[in-house]
Amino acid sequence: ANMIHPSASVDPSADLASDVVVWQGTSIREGAVIGERTSIGQYAYVGPGAKIGRDCKIQNGVYVYEPAIVDDGVFI
């Protein structure tokens, strides 16, 4: 099951796979895709249509702008 902090903003059209963690203050925009077992840190930003693979760790304060594609297993 996904864990999304209540203060995070996840657009309903974003596609979050299973076991995704989204920490406080984070914004995931429309059409973004987040792979299984990926963690998005506090106050991060994932832009519209950006794609983040499986088993990734996006640290606090990281901004991933469209049209970025992050491969599986990447630490940013």
Side-chain angles (χ1 to χ4, degrees):
N2 293 332
M3 192 292 293
I4 299 173
H5 193 277
S7 69
S9 173
V10 179
D11 189 274
S13 70
D15 181 9
L16 276 61
S18 61
D19 299 320
V20 169
V21 177
V22 180
W23 291 98
Q24 77 184 58
T26 290
S27 179
I28 299 180
R29 298 285 307 277
E30 57 275 4
V33 178
I34 313 291
E36 297 168 340
R37 299 173 304 279
T38 288
S39 176
I40 312 291
Q42 297 177 21
Y43 303 102
Y45 172 87
V46 179
K51 294 178 175 60
I52 298 176
R54 296 186 306 265
D55 301 305
C56 292
K57 170 69 173 161
I58 307 301
Q59 281 287 64
N60 299 342
V62 170
Y63 283 38
V64 178
Y65 289 103
E66 64 286 346
I69 299 173
V70 177
D71 208 355
D72 296 342
V74 172
F75 181 99
I76 298 176

